[in-house]
Amino acid sequence: MSPWTRLLIYLVAAPILGGLLAGWDRRITARMQSRQGPPILQPFYDVLKLWKKENVVVRRSQNYYIFFFLLFTVFTGGLFFAGADLLLVIFALTLAAIFFVLGAYKASSPYSFVGAERELIQMMAYEPMVLLTAIGMYMVTKSFHVHDIAGHGSLLIFALPGVFLGFLYTLEIKFRKSPFDLSCSHHAHQELVRGITTEFSGRSLAMIEIAHWYENVFLLAWVFLFFAAMPALGIVMSVAVFLFMIFVDNVFARLKWQAALKSAWAVTVVLGFGNILVLSLWSGKPAAPPAVVDAPSAPVMVETTTPKLAAQPLPATTTTDRRN
Amino acid sequence: MSRFAKSPWLIHYDASSCNGCDIEVLACLTPKFDVERLGVVNTGNPKHADIFLVTGAVNEQSREVIRNIYHQLPEPKVVVAVGVCASSGGIFAECYNIAGGVDGVIPVDVYVPGCAARPEAIIDGVVQALDVLERKQKEMTALANSLDKALFQRATKADAPEILALQKIAYQSEAEIYGEDSLPAQQQTLAELEADFESVPDMAKPFGWDGPLPVPVGPAQIVFLKAVVNGKIIGSVRGYQLGDTVCLRRLSVHPYFWRRGIGRQLVRELEAAFPAAKRFEIFTGRESSRSLGHFRKLGYQEFATTQFNPKVTWVYMQKDRA
Amino acid sequence: MSAVLGLILIPLAVGGLLCLLRSDALRTALVVTAVVVVGALSCSLAMRPSPMDLAELPFNAHTVSQGVMAVGIAISLFLIYVGIRARNALVVLLALAQGGLMVWFKAGPGAHVAVEQHLFVDNFGVIMALINGLVGGGICLYALGYMREYHGKAHADVRDRRPFFFGLLFLFMGAMFGLIFANNLTWLFLFWEVTTLCSFLLIGYTQTDEAKRNALRALVMNLAGGLAFALAIVFLHQKTGTIELQAALKSDKALALLPAALLCFAGITKAAQLPFSSWLLGAMVAPTPVSALLHSSTMVKAGVYLVLRMAPVVEGTKVGLLVALVGAVTFVIGSLAAITASDAKRVLAWSTVANLGLIVLCGGIGTYEAVWAGVLLIIFHAVAKCLLFLCVGVVEHKLHSRDIESMAGLVVSMPRVSVMMQIGMAGMFLAPFGMLISKWAVLKAVVDASPVLSVFVVFGSAATLFFWVKWMGKLLEVVTPPPRVSKELETGEAVALYGLSAATALACLLFPLISRHYIEPFVAGVYGLSASLEQGNVIIMIIMMALVLLFPITFLNYGRGVRVTDAYLGGANVQSSTRFRTSADTVQEVAIGNYYLHNLLNEAKLAWWGVAGSAVLLGLMFLLALLRL
Ligand code: SF4
């Protein structure tokens, strides 16, 4: 499949899949609470309704930020499915989230404001782990490109068990599930009214929902990446992770933001960084030995269009080696 | 069923309930009744809700809150009064602090009887509310689609409450520009607005007019216009003729219908309603670049300014009849 | 050749002249002319092919060297005098030590050392010159209007010493040019000392007790760096027989390691890395143009310039690793500390410290990728940070506060400045703008060189995100709309701010070109190969940029199809979004304040740990350098 086809499929199928996932989520949650729960298509009904409702705002410009939140979330997922650089994907994701947060700040209401601050704290909590995940994948596959990572022969999970667990931990934050549904919650039990989304209504709220669908599909696809060598297993594991998220959501109570931040960072250091440390010791030398400076008169090779940084010609010895 | 009927989100407010009805409302969420199977979500946030569920009678403290929440609900919206207290004041109706049922403050669409209202009854009330919701939604769409069929008519005193509500919404963004909580147009009371139909108010004085206002004035000197779409007033303006000059005042258009030519049309109609006038005059805030531009396009030019208060300066604009 | 000399000498001459000028109009004319000339000269320098051949000097280098020596002694004497007057033994000792060392060196071992090239200009130098000339020039223009206002009503108690102030600004600029172009380390050292001296005098400009104290602290720390520099020259000569920068880079790495470590140390002091960050934070007491100058184009950039120059020597060594670690620790601590600050200038100062940490990290790693990323960082940081400082300066004058909390609703009260501030902040941390591109490059370089260090980068950038976004949010949020400020910008301020905003945007748009024509040739010249961004990623970045630029366009549709209501306050609003009725039936104003995480982070403690940790790291570095590991 060419990147463009994949991109197209994502753009069309992700909201459908995301909406269905949200529907299942609500259904399963209801069943876990021995309720019947809404129809599977309920999220679609909600969004369609919201689309037709009046748009009530506190500050007129607040909705534009939400539009860009949606735009960049879609863009992020698109990059991912097109096989682009994982770091770039993360940066685009951050940009999207920042638009969301700025929209909530712009709304200038106490509840959305506190929601925005908490969302920021959550971003601060998950960002390191997400970056480390990308770095871990790079260390194993020698490429930041989703395309190459997916095409890597081995199961990444074997090399990156700690990173995987850490990633799961932050995934709970990204999915806005308990114990980390600090900035806004999908459930009846809320504390900041609706947190970051309090002041958004109508079409803007619908956009936020749709953006979450896109985002969730993209995140599950990232889970898939850990098992990309065996696609069937990957799909099973993605679904399993999703179910696990719902389970955790229903089992745990909400944490304070201090605890969320501290625990997420602790997990990042212990599991994520620990894994990477082991990996770098295991593979002996750093992933790419530093280059030698022989003489400035050496032929100048300015590399501009080669696809990968790592694929550059690198002399084998290091300065340290030579001196010894 | 339409999309509205499938996804009713509600906000529940306890006006002064004995908590009996509240408990029953919460019971609806429990596994036994599980309203979520109907798509109901208790949002707790007016901005997200479609249905406003009120329990308990209205007292001095809750009156403003009910009104505020109601205004913060986006259209289309439905109000359900749950329990006899919310419907009529119930057993508390005679209390010194009770103002009666919810319908004394905001329009109620569905009444759910009972003390306490049974969960089945509450669910039934919500389901009935869905029909109302759907009807209102249709009205709203029709409103937006029939703009070109807007009617420009003379307003009467009976329109005063609706015009007052419109005025408050329309001037909100102006107030924002100046950092004021409200501008004079928003502070007007119903009685004052009704008086505007008969006599020339202070604010209608032309710039530099020192003399007393002519009382009483003939009906030809006062023209009060409204723009109506599907029976709803979405815009209004009034004009007062003093000598050769006509003062246009309080041009307001519902924000939902901005930039669609309603304001322009209102001004044109008003000018046409004063065939004898030689000069037209309006004033607006100096920072309101949008309305300044609007009037410039209509041929008005600035000629004077006055300081209204430290934050607000009025700019007077005039136009001579060609 | 003439351009290079012109760039060094013209600012110096103008600086001297400005000290004598009392008339405001004349000063303005002179400053504007000088800025234009210097800007044009640095641009013309950028047009020429580099590295340039500067072996032939149009004057007798020996005489100049004598002059350099004389000026150096004069500075040392002046500093000793300062130290005695301030009763600060440390200043006296340090000044005495380095002055004595240089005199001894000149008279003894270094008397007959042959220097082939006194000056040297390569692409890195050109980039630095452009930053210094254009950004520094912008600051001088800004200072014209700013200082007029500063002495007008804002700080009536401070003695008006503007001739002295502007003279120093240009002196500083000239010294910076000299520092960039010098190849003879003794010359470089002189310019280094001049920047130390200028910064001391400028920080102490207001002559308040706090200013004097902070100026002295800056002096002590920079003199310590200066001493290390002097020692480096002596050791370098002793071991390799040369005192030329370029020759040192080509000499045996093992021999040059100790001098390189000393020079890195000097760079670290000047770049205000932990444990020396406190001088930069203290420098906030000076008028804003000084802060901007110190933080963006001169001073701290001189420090990282030197560290990056040393990169090939320390690459792959334990010394390099320790330098990188100091940078990494500084990055994390600086970013975390910035979260706790609410004083806008303090936030900016911590962020400078943090970002320079990132550059030092690059220098310490020293691979070609890292150096490439480091140079990118220098460029983007200089423009964006300067813009931010100047914006804060304007806001401070208008609002009489530089507390971030007081900037709520700046979009309403000072729309233009707030938009420019947003541009600057976006340039500091947001994809697809400047700094993020470089952070990305840093991350890649770090992962390639030593993945373990990447943990610092990821935590640091997460913290960075937090404090920038909450500041951005503060500017946007309009709880109670403040009144519009009548005259936002003076002419000079406007020129500088618009120019810098444009530069920030342009640097992002043109960075592939900048990289190809300046950074890559430089890196390739040193390492034989160079890094660059992949074509595909550049295209994606450009798409992102285009999408972000759509944002202002959507505002054409502003306010359509929405209904404005009050914010949700539990229904208790009193006819507005900002007041509500409390349960005690009183009316209360809504107040919203940012999180500073004081219950998690403590600035003083963070700084303490940072200082302790990095001091240990530096000690270890010297130890290893002595052992030649
Ligand atoms: S109707 Fe009955 S149960 Fe409900 S609030 Fe009134 S008194 Fe209580």
Side-chain angles (χ1 to χ4, degrees):
Chain A
M1 232 189 297
S2 85
W4 291 107
T5 351
R6 255 179 295 146
L7 181 65
L8 213 65
I9 292 178
Y10 170 74
L11 291 183
V12 179
I16 301 174
L17 186 58
L20 286 175
L21 284 174
W24 279 318
D25 177 1
R26 283 173 72 172
R27 188 62 165 256
I28 295 168
T29 303
R31 287 294 156 87
M32 290 177 80
Q33 299 165 354
S34 59
R35 291 188 287 120
Q36 185 188 341
I40 299 292
L41 296 182
Q42 187 61 42
F44 296 104
Y45 301 149
D46 290 347
V47 162
L48 285 173
K49 172 202 75 179
L50 287 172
W51 202 262
K52 278 286 164 188
K53 283 214 62 145
E54 187 187 23
N55 211 329
V56 169
V57 297
V58 182
R59 297 288 166 214
R60 245 165 265 273
S61 51
Q62 67 185 54
N63 288 340
Y64 302 111
Y65 294 89
I66 297 306
F67 175 69
F68 277 81
F69 166 51
L70 174 62
L71 188 68
F72 277 102
T73 310
V74 175
F75 186 77
T76 306
L79 279 184
F80 186 89
F81 279 89
D85 192 309
L86 208 44
L87 289 177
L88 200 52
V89 172
I90 297 173
F91 296 145
L93 184 68
T94 310
L95 179 63
I98 285 172
F99 269 112
F100 189 20
V101 171
L102 287 182
Y105 273 118
K106 183 70 229 183
S108 317
S109 125
Y111 294 104
S112 70
F113 184 89
V114 179
E117 296 268 308
R118 288 194 180 184
E119 177 77 10
L120 267 184
I121 289 174
Q122 290 185 358
M123 283 167 74
M124 188 159 75
Y126 70 68
E127 182 105 343
M129 188 60 231
V130 172
L131 281 170
L132 279 187
T133 309
I135 291 172
M137 291 185 159
Y138 172 76
M139 288 174 70
V140 178
T141 62
K142 300 283 172 284
S143 169
F144 273 117
H145 281 256
V146 176
H147 181 75
D148 301 328
I149 298 174
H152 191 71
S154 70
L155 277 181
L156 298 187
I157 182 77
F158 289 129
L160 302 167
V163 167
F164 180 70
L165 290 178
F167 186 64
L168 279 194
Y169 199 85
T170 52
L171 216 52
E172 198 80 15
I173 304 178
K174 279 257 67 165
F175 273 135
R176 300 171 190 289
K177 295 287 189 200
S178 254
F180 304 123
D181 49 351
L182 294 163
S183 69
C184 77
S185 160
H186 276 100
H187 295 298
H189 54 264
Q190 69 289 107
E191 55 172 6
L192 290 170
V193 184
R194 284 276 143 174
I196 188 166
T197 63
T198 302
E199 298 299 341
F200 295 104
S201 62
R203 203 165 284 194
S204 305
L205 191 60
M207 285 186 193
I208 295 174
E209 279 306 306
I210 297 173
H212 284 162
W213 296 348
Y214 270 107
E215 193 177 9
N216 289 354
V217 171
F218 146 69
L219 290 169
L220 287 177
W222 199 341
V223 172
F224 174 85
L225 222 48
F226 280 93
F227 309 91
M230 294 167 68
L233 179 67
I235 290 170
V236 171
M237 283 309 290
S238 302
V239 174
V241 164
F242 182 67
L243 293 176
F244 178 67
M245 294 289 141
I246 299 175
F247 174 75
V248 172
D249 185 28
N250 281 290
V251 169
F252 285 93
R254 182 181 294 132
L255 279 177
K256 286 196 208 170
W257 65 258
Q258 288 93 334
L261 181 62
K262 279 188 208 158
S263 68
W265 278 22
V267 164
T268 307
V269 169
V270 175
L271 291 175
F273 178 61
N275 197 159
I276 282 176
L277 194 66
V278 169
L279 213 58
S280 68
L281 293 178
W282 187 27
S283 55
K285 278 269 117 191
V292 144
V293 194
D294 265 325
S297 58
V300 176
M301 305 189 305
V302 182
E303 189 254 356
T304 47
T305 52
T306 326
K308 283 182 288 296
L309 275 179
Q312 283 176 0
L314 293 167
T317 50
T318 65
T319 42
T320 340
D321 294 338
R322 198 173 51 154
R323 223 181 8 262
N324 296 343
Chain B
M1 271 204 295
S2 86
R3 50 181 92 172
F4 273 84
K6 281 182 174 169
S7 158
W9 290 4
L10 53 85
I11 173 169
H12 166 208
Y13 176 66
D14 169 358
S16 72
S17 154
C18 76
N19 281 175
C21 285
D22 298 335
I23 299 284
E24 300 302 330
V25 168
L26 293 182
C28 297
L29 300 170
T30 57
K32 179 153 185 192
F33 298 101
D34 188 26
V35 277
E36 207 199 351
R37 75 201 141 90
L38 306 174
V40 173
V41 175
N42 185 4
T43 61
N45 174 8
K47 311 277 168 101
H48 292 190
D50 311 298
I51 299 176
F52 187 15
L53 212 67
V54 192
T55 53
V58 179
N59 64 14
E60 289 307 323
Q61 279 211 320
S62 62
R63 190 207 310 260
E64 267 313 296
V65 179
I66 292 177
R67 209 173 273 146
N68 281 332
I69 294 182
Y70 179 74
H71 282 301
Q72 289 173 4
L73 245 67
E75 294 283 353
K77 56 189 166 194
V78 175
V79 180
V80 179
V82 173
V84 289
C85 286
S87 302
S88 65
I91 56 165
F92 301 112
E94 306 292 304
C95 275
Y96 68 97
N97 63 336
I98 292 294
V102 179
D103 51 7
V105 187
I106 54 172
V108 173
D109 300 283
V110 180
Y111 297 88
V112 177
C115 174
R118 295 178 63 80
E120 293 92 332
I122 297 174
I123 296 174
D124 194 39
V126 169
V127 171
Q128 285 191 28
L130 298 182
D131 293 337
V132 185
L133 205 56
E134 208 162 320
R135 204 189 64 229
K136 289 195 174 175
Q137 146 69 13
K138 288 213 183 89
E139 278 173 21
M140 210 176 97
T141 325
L143 209 61
N145 290 341
S146 51
L147 260 190
D148 44 338
K149 293 179 218 101
L151 300 172
F152 295 87
Q153 302 165 326
R154 298 275 175 133
T156 61
K157 254 191 189 178
D159 296 325
E162 213 179 333
I163 290 177
L164 186 65
L166 170 73
Q167 207 166 288
K168 290 192 171 171
I169 296 174
Y171 276 86
Q172 184 53 40
S173 66
E174 293 285 294
E176 270 174 40
I177 297 177
Y178 300 96
E180 296 272 285
D181 286 332
S182 56
L183 293 172
Q186 290 165 292
Q187 290 155 0
Q188 204 172 21
T189 63
L190 189 59
E192 284 167 5
L193 199 140
E194 277 171 350
D196 286 359
F197 281 91
E198 278 150 13
S199 58
V200 181
D202 236 22
M203 57 110 184
K205 278 189 204 167
F207 179 74
W209 179 282
D210 287 330
L213 292 165
V215 260
V217 287
Q221 284 169 285
I222 297 180
V223 174
F224 213 123
L225 284 184
K226 61 180 179 180
V228 183
V229 172
N230 274 2
K232 287 214 166 190
I233 299 181
I234 59 157
S236 106
V237 68
R238 53 202 96 154
Y240 301 91
Q241 184 167 11
L242 294 125
D244 283 343
T245 298
V246 168
C247 297
L248 275 69
R249 290 296 180 261
R250 304 258 152 98
L251 173 65
S252 16
V253 176
H254 193 288
Y256 203 79
F257 298 97
W258 278 358
R259 300 222 212 153
R260 302 192 191 180
I262 302 284
R264 200 183 323 137
Q265 193 63 24
L266 274 171
V267 173
R268 289 218 181 105
E269 298 276 341
L270 195 74
E271 287 170 3
F274 291 101
K278 300 231 167 62
R279 181 174 162 275
F280 297 95
E281 186 193 302
I282 60 104
F283 70 82
T284 180
R286 192 176 57 191
E287 312 293 326
S288 317
S289 48
R290 194 193 304 256
S291 57
L292 284 172
H294 192 232
F295 284 114
R296 273 188 211 120
K297 263 191 221 151
L298 284 162
Y300 287 78
Q301 272 150 2
E302 293 99 320
F303 71 96
T305 58
T306 56
Q307 185 88 22
F308 171 65
N309 68 20
K311 285 183 189 166
V312 184
T313 302
W314 299 131
V315 176
Y316 284 80
M317 302 176 87
Q318 62 178 355
K319 167 180 169 180
D320 294 324
R321 171 156 273 154
Chain C
M1 179 79 230
S2 52
V4 174
L5 287 179
L7 279 176
I8 302 176
L9 296 177
I10 290 176
L12 292 180
V14 170
L17 208 56
L18 278 172
C19 283
L20 305 174
L21 279 183
R22 301 274 138 202
S23 146
D24 205 25
L26 274 180
R27 180 186 317 126
T28 309
L30 184 57
V31 167
V32 173
T33 333
V35 165
V36 171
V37 170
V38 168
L41 272 180
S42 28
C43 287
S44 82
L45 198 66
M47 299 295 159
R48 295 187 204 168
S50 309
M52 283 176 208
D53 182 25
L54 296 174
E56 293 291 314
L57 292 181
F59 45 74
N60 184 344
H62 187 68
T63 339
V64 176
S65 283
Q66 300 287 328
V68 164
M69 193 61 217
V71 178
I73 293 173
I75 291 178
S76 293
L77 288 177
F78 176 70
L79 290 178
I80 292 169
Y81 162 72
V82 167
I84 292 173
R85 260 195 58 176
R87 294 173 201 283
N88 191 316
L90 220 48
V91 172
V92 179
L93 271 177
L94 286 168
L96 212 56
Q98 57 171 278
L101 201 63
M102 285 319 283
V103 172
W104 170 78
F105 178 70
K106 272 286 176 182
H112 300 293
V113 63
V115 176
E116 273 174 38
Q117 277 203 319
H118 290 279
L119 297 175
F120 179 82
V121 182
D122 63 355
N123 277 304
F124 190 16
V126 168
I127 291 170
M128 294 296 292
L130 271 179
I131 292 174
N132 191 30
L134 297 181
V135 178
I139 295 171
C140 293
L141 288 183
Y142 170 92
L144 283 173
Y146 182 92
M147 291 310 284
R148 202 174 299 134
E149 216 173 328
Y150 188 88
H151 287 297
K153 37 187 185 317
H155 296 82
D157 47 330
V158 176
R159 196 155 66 87
D160 187 350
R161 293 190 294 160
R162 269 182 282 170
F164 173 68
F165 183 83
F166 280 93
L168 276 181
L169 283 192
F170 276 89
L171 202 62
F172 208 148
M173 203 173 173
M176 190 63 195
F177 275 120
L179 199 152
I180 296 164
F181 297 140
N183 188 39
N184 180 338
L185 279 175
T186 52
W187 293 22
L188 213 168
F189 180 63
L190 173 80
F191 291 122
W192 186 269
E193 288 306 292
V194 173
T195 60
T196 301
L197 180 68
C198 287
S199 67
F200 163 71
L201 293 173
L202 282 172
I203 294 171
Y205 177 72
T206 58
Q207 288 295 308
T208 57
D209 284 344
E210 192 193 5
K212 282 188 197 160
R213 204 169 46 240
N214 292 346
L216 218 55
R217 180 174 338 133
L219 186 61
V220 171
M221 290 187 172
N222 280 302
L223 280 180
L227 183 60
F229 200 128
L231 281 171
I233 296 177
V234 174
F235 280 121
L236 188 69
H237 179 253
Q238 185 201 353
K239 303 216 166 172
T240 63
T242 177
I243 55 165
E244 284 177 73
L245 186 64
Q246 293 302 320
L249 296 184
K250 286 168 204 161
S251 63
D252 190 339
K253 300 273 161 329
L255 293 179
L257 194 58
L258 181 58
L262 282 165
L263 286 178
C264 281
F265 177 83
I268 281 172
T269 56
K270 196 141 268 209
Q273 296 299 287
L274 286 169
F276 305 107
S277 303
S278 53
W279 78 258
L280 192 63
L281 291 164
M284 297 187 308
V285 294
T288 299
V290 177
S291 314
L293 206 61
L294 293 181
H295 283 260
S296 61
S297 62
T298 55
M299 201 65 182
V300 294
K301 287 293 181 312
V304 288
Y305 166 80
L306 200 61
V307 174
L308 277 184
R309 281 278 187 215
M310 287 302 118
V313 183
V314 298
E315 180 205 349
T317 62
K318 293 278 182 314
V319 172
L321 183 69
L322 282 164
V323 172
L325 265 175
V326 171
V329 168
T330 309
F331 179 50
V332 175
I333 300 273
S335 304
L336 286 176
I339 292 177
T340 65
S342 75
D343 178 341
K345 266 190 168 183
R346 201 167 182 85
V347 174
L348 290 181
W350 274 121
S351 127
T352 302
V353 169
N355 281 310
L356 294 173
L358 218 48
I359 304 176
V360 170
L361 170 66
C362 290
I365 291 173
T367 60
Y368 64 96
E369 280 181 280
V371 171
W372 179 76
V375 179
L376 258 189
L377 268 173
I378 290 190
I379 300 174
F380 288 130
H381 180 257
V383 233
K385 187 50 73 57
C386 183
L387 176 61
L388 281 173
F389 259 110
L390 299 189
C391 284
V392 168
V394 174
V395 174
E396 187 186 359
H397 268 178
K398 301 293 175 191
L399 303 186
H400 308 294
S401 160
R402 49 180 203 227
D403 193 322
I404 290 175
E405 294 298 325
S406 68
M407 292 185 195
L410 208 67
V411 267
V412 177
S413 56
M414 304 175 77
R416 268 172 281 167
V417 174
S418 89
V419 167
M420 288 190 269
M421 260 173 135
Q422 303 272 3
I423 293 176
M425 287 190 221
M428 287 304 292
F429 78 102
L430 210 59
F433 300 105
M435 286 295 278
L436 193 107
I437 303 171
S438 8
K439 246 177 222 170
W440 180 19
V442 173
L443 203 56
K444 285 194 170 174
V446 169
V447 174
D448 280 339
S450 66
V452 178
L453 281 178
S454 66
V455 72
F456 291 96
V457 183
V458 298
F459 278 107
S461 19
T464 315
L465 182 100
F466 185 76
F467 70 81
W468 285 126
V469 181
K470 75 178 183 185
W471 188 352
M472 283 179 112
K474 200 76 202 173
L475 300 183
L476 291 175
E477 137 212 330
V478 189
V479 177
T480 321
R484 175 93 185 251
V485 169
S486 52
K487 192 170 181 301
E488 272 186 59
L489 295 168
E490 297 240 356
T491 325
E493 293 173 342
V495 172
L497 288 182
Y498 285 125
L500 281 165
S501 309
T504 312
L506 275 182
C508 301
L509 284 173
L510 298 183
F511 93 94
L513 291 181
I514 300 174
S515 168
R516 178 166 312 172
H517 292 296
Y518 294 102
I519 310 182
E520 285 163 31
F522 156 67
V523 178
V526 177
Y527 290 91
L529 42 83
S530 171
S532 74
L533 265 194
E534 300 163 29
Q535 192 103 44
N537 283 341
V538 172
I539 292 171
I540 294 172
M541 288 296 227
I542 289 170
I543 297 175
M544 272 172 95
M545 190 92 70
L547 286 178
V548 173
L549 290 181
L550 278 180
F551 187 65
I553 295 174
T554 55
F555 275 72
L556 290 179
N557 197 20
Y558 183 78
R560 201 167 164 175
V562 297
R563 173 163 68 93
V564 178
T565 60
D566 294 336
Y568 180 64
L569 298 176
N573 311 54
V574 180
Q575 288 173 354
S576 80
S577 295
T578 56
R579 282 175 308 163
F580 61 97
R581 196 172 296 284
T582 64
S583 50
D585 208 26
T586 56
V587 175
Q588 192 78 45
E589 282 283 332
V590 168
I592 295 180
N594 274 344
Y595 282 18
Y596 292 93
L597 309 195
H598 284 309
N599 47 2
L600 272 191
L601 304 168
N602 178 324
E603 191 181 2
K605 257 193 208 158
L606 275 173
W608 191 90
W609 281 105
V611 167
S614 49
V616 170
L617 289 172
L618 282 178
L620 216 57
M621 175 186 90
F622 280 126
L623 199 70
L624 291 175
L626 282 172
L627 299 174
R628 280 199 208 157
L629 278 168

